């Protein structure tokens, strides 16, 4: 049964776009409140040191300074889910982000001047910047606050995950090929175009704290803030200004936020804190850097047999949500393609580097890079076609994976086939590689949650609807718009179901005192969860309207059609606002308001991490063609073919934007982006040193959506917005290997790195062979095998 | 060194005078004094283009421009685009219809660049190629869109029949 839709599936302009493109939208940086003060933070000069003394007397004496805050003045709890992160540091500093003193002053200039006047005496210590070093017995304890750390077998482990299914040893034994490789993934950052910001206001009269905060998870944030400040959560109101980019960076509450709140509490005045771009690079989240040791096997036919995974993550000095990325990575290792056996171990290790955070894809780009590289290597070892080995092992509808994920619908095979065919994979892969510019093509697939992820006690979303006497609909949704286009999708659903025009729809979604609960923007869940929630609320609203309409039209229980502001059946029709007014003004006098809370049917996973954690699953493949300049090492991405199981396309314009934006971030991860840390110090904290792609670097992106119409999603839709960047770096690395015959096990593939490898390959090959055999001789003499 | 200087400029079509410090940046003057918040502080280092405004026909990063240099100049900000009849300029309309706006933080700067470029090309009677358009957009960073829809929008501005 395919219903004809008027709005769903039609390209629809961004609902809130006019405000944004005209400068009307109020971002955190644009807020001004009467009597507002400006905050600044003094951070440590050294990544690892003891603090011997802090002298704030000159700052306090500066005209215009209203508050100077150190750890001594702050009665607060540690933050982070491990509670291992003091918001202001005393006694010692552990990474280059560490906050020591905060100031609120009457102008930005005075606040900055006050920071310059603060004297801190340090005793510099040798830090630990390599997680493997931190695991040695000789390493010092880096963080002593963490909850539950005693359960781990090493003092510097902050978090650990173990997962397994199947008989690994038996599968190993029957494997024809086994490939074991180490992959190293860099630290990259979100680089949201709007820097981090917060404005806080506090009234001592009511004890209420209002925070204009750019969080993606306002209700969890409110709870974390309350814990940090030792306040009742309900005395905190979070209002989200327009957010200039999230991508996961606004999942963790960072120290600057409770610091700003404290300054507002202490001064009883509004206080604003805006990050500079340098501060943004230095002290906002990053993707979790890690080393992945991956062993995979396949049998003679090329069927996958097992995967054994060991991951060491650089946790940094404190724990962020980044430490829980193994939760997503283990899904990829256990359930992307059919895998009879899997063992997965991941450990997050404290170092004196900065902590990471969550970033679009949540560990999945790292996992997929390793896995899809290994798959190419196994195909090569077996002499198999790289598309064929993937198709042979691809996931299928009805599959229940070793981890217990239920693939009720699954577009993995059609997605793979689409990119292989449209990307002309075989023709390009097998074309001769000659001349200076060598072209190659690579494949990679991915699996991600498509129907939320039950990682908190509720993964739900509430919706309240108000249909007013004039036929205008207000949607009060728990979900948030952070630029991704969720407001547009919600408006489209309301237009579709209620026949109300877009200019009669208002969306309220920024105020925790008003909106119903929602877990937040993460896990590509908003269209799915908020969409289902809205549909639930609409059906309640329609119950009311239908009943009254039937009464007014003197007909019995018919199926009404909602169209053009009318409620209609056959030749009978009545204006929707007329029905609302009759409900309102005639006995028994009711308002046309309803509330609905949607909770996905997904399960909480058990202690072994088994269970059907999402309402549905998204699958995607990419085929990417690259050109390598063998003279300079520069890799240029020429064409990106993306095919993705999105369940159903709700807004093609918005979806395509998510695909292109995701791919761009994926290309940056593959080729240019890296935060360069040396001994805990960031060497490139600017757009000059940290290379984002520009308009000139973007290839063509071709998108082939696969519509599997999953029963769990709104109109069959699945989450879609993290997927497009997940397989990109893997496909690019595979393409580069195809082009030049050199494989890379770390990112990014900078021109320098590629050139170095090319030079080694050409001049180094004969010598390297000699060295290898020499090496074998030596090993033999020492009694080692090879 | 704190001697304030009086400057007069044409801001969004109106002649205005104000006193500025010699070290003041145009972005601060616009945002803090005139409360024109459409020019966005993306980096304040001249690297991202979010703060672009049009000065005498050229798109300029207002974070790299001393306010005193605006003396005698014609400055247009995003708030100055559009007219009473068309509240949004054709550039903004094209950006919306092509899906070039996501979080929007880069969008106002991008719109100013496309506007300045299109006016210039129009005056010269030139329709630029897609590659040329990409080049002119190179100074703008966008983390959301992957640029393709921004380039599409800019291209559409030059399509025949499109109002400029
Ligand atoms: S804010 Fe001016 S270029 Fe970035
Ligand atoms: S739309 Fe978000 S940075 Fe461009």
């Amino acid at each position: 049964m395919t219903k004809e839709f008027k709005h769903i599936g039609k390209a629809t302009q961004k609902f809130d776009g006019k405000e944004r493109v005209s400068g009307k939208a109020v971002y955190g940086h644009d807020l001004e409140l009467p009597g507002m003060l400006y905050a600044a933070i003094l951070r440590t000069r050294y990544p690892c040191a003891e603090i011997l003394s802090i002298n704030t007397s000159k700052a306090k004496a500066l005209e215009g300074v209203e508050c100077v805050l150190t750890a001594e003045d702050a009665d607060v709890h540690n933050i982070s889910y491990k509670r291992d992160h003091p918001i202001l540091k005393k006694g010692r500093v552990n990474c280059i982000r560490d906050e020591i003193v905060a100031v609120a002053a009457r102008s930005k200039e005075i606040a900055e001047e006050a920071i310059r006047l603060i004297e801190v005496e340090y005793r510099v210590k040798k830090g630990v910047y390599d997680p493997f070093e931190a695991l040695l017995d000789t390493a010092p304890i880096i963080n002593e606050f963490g909850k539950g750390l005693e359960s781990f077998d090493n003092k510097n482990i902050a978090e650990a995950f173990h997962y397994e299914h199947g008989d690994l040893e038996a599968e190993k034994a029957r494997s024809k090929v086994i490939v074991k490789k180490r992959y190293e993934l860099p630290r990259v950052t979100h680089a949201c175009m709007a820097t981090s910001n917060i404005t806080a206001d506090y009234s001592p009269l009511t004890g209420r704290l209002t925070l204009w905060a750019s969080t993606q998870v306002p209700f969890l944030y409110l709870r974390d803030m309350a814990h940090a400040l030792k306040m009742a959560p309900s005395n905190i109101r979070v209002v989200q200004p327009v957010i200039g980019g999230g991508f996961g960076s606004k999942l963790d509450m960072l120290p600057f936020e409770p610091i700003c709140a404290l300054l507002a509490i202490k001064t009883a005045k509004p206080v604003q804190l805006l990050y500079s771009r340098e501060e943004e690079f230095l002290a906002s989240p990053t993707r979790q850097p890690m080393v992945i040791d991956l062993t995979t096997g396949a049998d003679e036919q090329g069927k996958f047999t097992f995967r054994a995974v060991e991951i060491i993550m650089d946790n940094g000095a404190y724990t962020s949500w980044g430490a829980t990325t193994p939760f997503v990575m283990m899904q990829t290792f256990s359930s992307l393609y059919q895998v009879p056996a899997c063992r997965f171990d991941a450990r997050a290790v404290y170092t004196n580097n900065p902590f990471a955070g969550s970033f679009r894809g949540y560990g999945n780009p790292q996992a997929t890079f390793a896995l899809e590289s290994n798959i190419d290597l196994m195909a090569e070892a077996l002499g198999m076609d790289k598309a064929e080995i993937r198709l042979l092992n691809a996931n299928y509808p009805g599959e229940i994976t070793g981890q217990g994920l239920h693939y009720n619908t699954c577009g993995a095979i059609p997605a793979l086939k689409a990119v292989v065919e449209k990307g002309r994979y075989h023709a390009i892969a097998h074309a001769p590689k000659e001349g200076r510019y060598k072209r190659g093509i690579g494949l990679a697939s991915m699996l991600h949650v498509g129907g939320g992820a039950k990682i908190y006690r509720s993964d739900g979303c509430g919706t309240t609807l108000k249909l007013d006497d004039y036929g205008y609909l207000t949607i009060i949704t728990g979900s948030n718009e952070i630029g991704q286009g969720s407001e547009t999708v919600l408006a489209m659903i309301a237009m579709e179901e209620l026949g109300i025009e877009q200019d009669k729809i208002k969306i309220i979604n920024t105020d925790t005192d008003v909106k119903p609960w929602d877990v937040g923007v993460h896990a590509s869940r908003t269209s799915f969860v908020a969409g289902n929630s809205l549909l639930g609320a609409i059906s309640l609203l329609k119950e009311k309207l239908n009943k009254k309409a039937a009464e007014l039209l003197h007909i019995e229980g018919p199926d009404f059609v909602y169209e053009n502001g009318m409620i209609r059946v056959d030749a009978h029709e009545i204006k929707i606002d007329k029905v609302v007014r009759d409900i309102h003004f005639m006995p028994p006098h009711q308002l046309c308001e309803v509330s609905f809370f949607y909770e996905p049917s997904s399960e909480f996973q058990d202690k072994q991490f088994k269970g059907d954690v999402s309402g549905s699953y998204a699958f995607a493949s990419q085929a990417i063609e690259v050109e390598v300049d063998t003279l300079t090492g520069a890799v240029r991405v020429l064409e990106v073919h993306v095919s993705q199981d999105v369940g159903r396309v709700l807004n093609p314009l918005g979806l395509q934007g998510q695909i292109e934006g995701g791919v761009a971030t994926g290309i940056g991860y593959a080729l240019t982006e890296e935060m360069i840390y040396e001994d805990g110090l960031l060497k490139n904290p600017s757009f000059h040193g940290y290379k984002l792609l520009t308009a000139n670097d973007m290839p063509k992106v071709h998108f082939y959506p696969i519509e599997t119409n999953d029963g769990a999603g709104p109109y069959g839709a699945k989450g879609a917005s993290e997927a497009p960047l997940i397989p990109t770096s893997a496909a690019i690395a595979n393409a580069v290997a195809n082009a030049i015959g050199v494989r890379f096990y770390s990112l990014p593939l900078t021109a320098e790195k590629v050139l170095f490898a090319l030079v080694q390959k050409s001049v180094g090959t004969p010598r390297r062979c000699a060295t290898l055999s020499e090496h074998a001789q030596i090993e033999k003499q020492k009694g080692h095998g090879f | 060194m704190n001697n304030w200087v009086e400057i007069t400029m044409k801001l969004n079509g109106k002649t205005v005078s104000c006193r500025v410090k010699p070290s003041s940046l145009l972005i601060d003057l616009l945002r803090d004094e005139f409360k024109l918040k459409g020019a966005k502080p993306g980096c304040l280092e001249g690297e991202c283009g979010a703060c672009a405004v049009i000065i005498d026909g050229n798109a300029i990063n207002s974070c790299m421009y001393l306010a005193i240099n605006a003396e005698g100049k014609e400055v247009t900000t995003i708030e100055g685009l559009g007219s009473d009849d068309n509240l949004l300029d054709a550039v903004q309309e094209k950006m919306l219809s092509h899906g070039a706006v996501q979080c929007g933080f880069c969008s106002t700067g991008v719109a100013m660049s496309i506007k300045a470029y299109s006016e210039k090309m129009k005056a010269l009677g030139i329709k630029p190629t897609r590659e040329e358009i990409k080049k002119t957009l190179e100074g703008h960073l966008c983390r959301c869109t992957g640029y393709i829809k921004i380039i599409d929008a800019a291209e559409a501005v030059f399509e025949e029949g499109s109002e400029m």
Side-chain angles (χ1 to χ4, degrees):
Chain A
M1 183 205 76
T2 38
K3 198 177 135 202
E4 265 298 304
F5 291 116
K6 274 186 90 169
H7 301 283
I8 298 299
K10 308 271 158 43
T12 306
Q13 278 188 26
K14 198 167 165 56
F15 182 76
D16 46 340
K18 287 183 185 164
E19 299 278 290
R20 293 179 193 239
V21 80
S22 62
K24 269 256 172 230
V26 180
Y27 295 80
H29 297 70
D30 306 332
L31 280 171
E32 286 181 22
L33 296 175
M36 187 169 85
L37 305 176
Y38 299 85
I41 291 174
L42 176 73
R43 296 175 194 277
T44 177
R45 178 173 299 179
Y46 308 99
C48 185
E50 274 171 50
I51 299 175
L52 301 178
S53 69
I54 304 172
N55 183 352
T56 59
S57 54
K58 285 185 200 153
K60 280 184 176 145
L62 186 68
E63 161 99 35
V65 170
E66 302 229 354
C67 184
V68 176
L69 195 68
T70 63
E72 298 300 336
D73 321 304
D75 177 23
V76 288
H77 282 133
N78 284 357
I79 62 170
S80 98
Y81 81 93
K82 288 277 174 186
R83 307 285 183 236
D84 64 354
H85 194 171
I87 64 171
L88 284 160
K89 281 69 179 174
K90 64 175 177 193
R92 70 184 278 187
V93 283
N94 253 343
C95 77
I96 198 64
R97 281 183 190 164
D98 277 1
E99 300 80 359
I100 301 174
V101 187
V103 169
R106 285 206 288 271
S107 76
K108 290 176 219 170
E109 293 72 24
I110 297 171
E112 277 157 24
E113 177 60 22
I115 289 294
R116 277 190 291 272
L117 292 174
I118 296 165
E119 292 150 14
V120 180
E121 236 186 308
Y122 302 90
R123 179 181 296 134
V124 178
K125 299 202 317 198
K126 192 175 166 300
V128 182
Y129 306 105
D130 174 354
F132 291 94
E133 202 181 302
L135 288 172
L136 300 177
D137 291 344
T138 49
I141 294 181
I142 295 166
N143 184 314
E144 52 212 343
F145 303 111
K147 263 198 324 186
L149 299 188
E150 46 313 321
S151 64
F152 303 126
D153 59 5
N154 183 295
K155 58 185 180 290
N156 281 328
I157 292 182
E159 185 61 283
F161 289 84
H162 173 80
Y163 165 84
E164 59 181 62
H165 78 252
D167 185 343
L168 198 88
E169 291 313 315
E171 291 295 329
K172 220 179 211 175
R174 70 178 192 87
S175 299
K176 172 85 190 300
V177 291
I178 292 179
V179 170
K180 180 172 187 201
K181 291 292 170 196
R182 168 167 286 193
Y183 296 91
E184 292 178 42
L185 286 310
R187 190 187 289 274
V188 295
T189 189
H190 308 70
C192 300
M193 290 318 298
T195 55
S196 302
N197 60 84
I198 184 171
T199 306
D201 194 11
Y202 179 74
S203 165
L205 301 173
T206 60
R208 296 262 159 80
L209 176 68
T210 305
L211 302 170
W212 287 264
S214 293
T215 170
Q216 293 178 225
V217 289
F219 288 96
L220 301 187
Y221 181 93
L222 182 156
R223 189 200 54 167
D224 290 348
M225 185 66 75
H227 177 266
L229 300 180
K230 304 184 178 176
M231 278 180 76
S234 304
N235 276 332
I236 301 175
R237 174 180 172 207
V238 176
V239 183
Q240 295 157 286
V242 177
I243 293 176
F247 318 112
S249 64
K250 292 157 174 66
L251 237 63
D252 277 290
M253 184 182 74
L254 298 186
F256 80 91
E257 297 169 285
I259 285 175
C260 190
L262 269 179
L263 290 169
I265 291 170
K266 300 253 176 204
T267 59
K269 286 182 184 166
V271 181
Q272 183 169 76
L273 198 157
L274 307 176
Y275 268 23
S276 69
R277 180 52 63 183
E278 184 181 356
E279 211 171 8
E280 186 74 11
F281 273 105
L282 198 73
S284 72
T286 70
R287 198 182 282 293
Q288 196 83 0
M290 60 183 72
V291 173
I292 302 177
D293 284 317
L294 175 63
T295 314
T296 60
D299 68 14
E300 210 151 342
Q301 279 74 47
K303 285 287 276 180
F304 296 158
T305 48
F306 78 96
R307 291 175 187 156
V309 194
E310 277 183 45
I311 299 178
I312 296 292
M313 303 188 284
D314 181 351
N315 194 59
Y318 310 102
T319 307
S320 68
W321 287 122
T324 67
T325 49
F327 184 80
V328 172
M329 294 195 280
M330 72 172 74
Q331 278 166 28
T332 289
F333 288 114
S334 77
S335 304
L336 172 59
Y337 304 99
Q338 303 161 48
V339 201
C342 175
R343 192 182 61 217
F344 173 97
D345 281 286
R347 290 178 290 171
V349 183
Y350 284 120
T351 65
N352 292 112
N353 289 322
F355 49 96
S358 87
F359 192 167
R360 198 173 184 179
Y362 214 83
N364 213 346
Q366 295 97 310
T368 303
F369 172 69
L371 179 60
E372 288 285 347
S373 298
N374 253 33
I375 291 175
D376 262 23
L377 289 167
M378 289 197 294
E380 280 165 21
L382 286 164
M384 265 182 93
D385 180 80
K386 287 167 187 162
E388 194 192 322
I389 195 170
R390 289 180 166 86
L391 280 168
L392 179 71
N393 290 284
N395 297 114
Y396 57 89
E399 183 182 348
I400 299 175
T401 75
Q403 202 183 348
L405 314 182
H406 291 237
Y407 298 158
N408 296 327
T409 59
C410 171
I413 292 173
L416 244 172
K417 285 187 169 161
V419 300
V420 168
E421 192 202 315
K422 306 275 190 187
R424 298 174 47 250
Y425 173 75
H426 290 108
I428 296 168
H430 299 127
K433 318 289 177 198
E434 283 155 2
R436 170 175 167 184
Y437 298 98
K438 292 192 172 28
R439 290 189 176 192
I441 190 164
L443 289 174
S445 300
M446 75 99 227
L447 155 72
H448 205 66
V449 291
K454 192 152 287 181
I455 49 167
Y456 187 66
R457 278 142 69 200
S458 164
D459 192 30
C461 172
T463 306
T464 298
L465 295 178
K466 276 172 51 171
L467 189 56
D468 74 12
D469 293 340
Y470 315 100
Y472 279 59
L473 179 75
T474 305
I475 302 170
I476 308 169
T477 172
S479 67
N480 319 286
E481 167 70 44
I482 62 167
Q484 83 280 39
S486 65
E487 282 188 6
T488 314
V489 164
L490 295 182
M492 288 169 72
I493 292 175
M495 291 193 287
E496 186 69 51
E497 297 297 324
L498 291 168
I500 297 175
E501 294 154 51
Q502 184 174 318
D503 58 7
K504 290 189 175 169
I505 295 175
K506 302 179 241 184
I507 299 182
I508 305 288
N509 54 0
T510 57
D511 187 338
T512 55
D513 266 3
V514 174
K515 66 179 187 172
W517 194 88
D518 170 77
V519 83
V521 183
H522 77 115
S524 304
R525 70 187 279 283
T526 302
S527 288
F528 180 94
V529 180
N532 275 339
S533 176
L534 174 59
L535 282 170
I538 286 174
S539 75
L540 292 181
L541 191 72
K542 277 185 169 176
E543 263 175 45
K544 276 194 168 192
L545 291 164
N546 286 351
K547 197 158 149 249
K548 190 54 137 191
E551 200 182 299
L552 293 171
L553 292 170
H554 308 292
I555 34 183
E556 295 248 318
D559 288 330
F560 284 109
V561 175
Y562 286 70
E563 229 171 26
N564 305 328
M566 308 295 281
I567 302 178
R568 154 176 328 136
V569 64
D570 303 326
H572 311 276
E573 61 174 28
I574 185 164
K575 279 185 154 176
I576 195 166
D577 49 314
K578 162 90 175 91
V579 179
V580 176
R581 286 195 296 272
D582 267 66
I583 294 173
H584 184 177
F585 297 123
M586 305 299 277
H589 300 289
Q590 288 184 343
L591 292 176
C592 238
E593 297 188 5
V594 294
S595 276
F596 183 78
F597 185 72
Y598 168 76
E599 181 72 37
S601 62
S602 47
E603 307 166 349
F604 221 39
Q605 287 179 327
D606 61 19
K607 288 224 157 55
Q608 281 75 46
F609 298 107
K610 295 212 172 125
D612 197 19
V613 72
S614 181
S616 70
Y617 297 89
F619 304 85
S621 291
Q622 295 186 4
I624 299 184
E625 186 185 359
V626 302
E627 182 177 81
V628 183
D629 181 346
T630 54
L631 208 64
T632 64
V635 178
R636 190 159 175 85
V637 177
L638 302 176
E639 306 265 341
V640 179
H641 298 267
V642 180
S643 186
Q644 190 171 317
D645 173 4
V646 296
R648 178 192 281 276
V649 178
L650 298 175
N651 179 8
L653 188 66
L655 177 61
Q656 183 86 26
Q658 290 302 307
I659 302 291
E660 291 166 2
V663 165
T665 306
I667 297 174
Y669 187 50
L671 297 183
T672 63
E673 292 181 36
E674 180 168 23
M675 306 185 86
I676 299 165
Y677 271 92
E678 278 170 25
D679 289 343
L681 296 172
L682 180 61
K683 296 293 174 185
N684 56 340
S686 74
F687 285 133
H688 188 68
Y690 184 90
K691 293 290 180 208
L692 295 184
L693 298 193
T694 70
N696 227 10
D697 304 315
M698 272 308 280
K700 286 211 183 85
V701 177
H702 311 270
F703 176 47
Y704 321 104
I706 306 289
E707 298 197 300
T708 50
N709 283 310
D710 193 284
Y715 307 94
K718 299 178 175 184
S721 292
E722 289 170 281
L725 77 77
I726 291 169
T728 308
S729 56
I732 289 174
N734 286 344
V736 169
N738 176 245
I740 60 172
V742 181
R743 182 159 289 279
F744 293 89
Y745 300 95
S746 66
L747 296 176
L749 307 183
T750 57
E752 205 181 3
K753 191 192 274 184
V754 173
L755 187 63
F756 184 74
L758 279 167
V759 169
Q760 269 208 326
K761 186 189 169 203
S762 63
V763 305
T765 309
R767 253 191 284 152
R768 195 172 143 74
C769 283
T771 320
L772 266 180
S773 56
E774 273 167 31
H775 182 66
Q777 286 293 331
I778 298 162
E779 292 292 308
K780 241 184 226 156
Q781 281 161 12
K782 284 199 289 193
H784 296 279
F786 217 1
Chain B
M1 64 179 256
N2 269 350
N3 43 343
W4 295 68
V5 183
E6 166 124 5
I7 62 164
T8 301
M9 61 178 164
K10 207 164 179 194
L11 179 58
N12 293 334
K14 290 203 183 84
T15 303
V16 295
S17 296
C18 54
R19 290 162 61 75
V20 298
K21 278 195 225 163
S23 60
S24 292
L25 296 167
L26 181 60
I27 188 171
D28 293 331
L29 179 68
L30 294 172
R31 289 179 54 88
D32 297 344
E33 301 304 321
F34 290 100
K35 308 294 177 194
L36 296 169
K37 305 282 190 182
K40 296 297 178 206
C43 67
L44 302 180
E45 294 170 345
E47 299 275 356
C48 78
C51 63
V53 299
I54 300 177
I55 303 177
D56 285 352
N58 297 310
I60 302 280
N61 288 335
S62 62
C63 74
M64 288 279 110
Y65 196 89
L66 288 176
I68 44 167
N69 289 340
E71 164 66 30
K73 301 262 167 52
E74 197 167 325
V75 177
T76 308
T77 69
I78 192 78
E79 291 85 352
L81 286 196
S83 60
D84 288 349
D85 299 334
N86 297 310
L87 293 177
L88 294 180
D89 187 86
V91 170
Q92 292 163 301
E93 295 284 4
K94 292 287 181 218
M95 286 177 71
L96 290 176
S97 62
H98 283 80
V101 182
Q102 287 188 27
C103 84
F105 205 78
C106 73
S107 306
T108 47
V110 167
M112 297 315 279
S113 265
I114 300 177
K115 178 70 182 171
Y117 186 54
S118 68
E119 292 289 327
K120 242 190 243 173
M121 292 295 114
K122 194 173 66 171
L124 295 169
I126 297 174
K127 185 175 164 187
T129 64
R130 193 169 170 91
E131 292 311 309
E132 287 165 342
I133 289 173
K134 284 187 190 176
K135 269 264 166 257
T136 61
L137 288 172
E138 230 180 359
H140 291 274
L141 295 176
C142 172
R143 196 50 152 169
C144 301
T145 64
Y147 304 104
I148 294 173
K149 299 206 172 309
I150 295 176
I151 303 163
D152 290 346
E155 230 180 354
V157 169
F158 291 101
E159 285 307 315
E160 261 166 290
S162 152
E163 298 270 315
M164 287 196 286

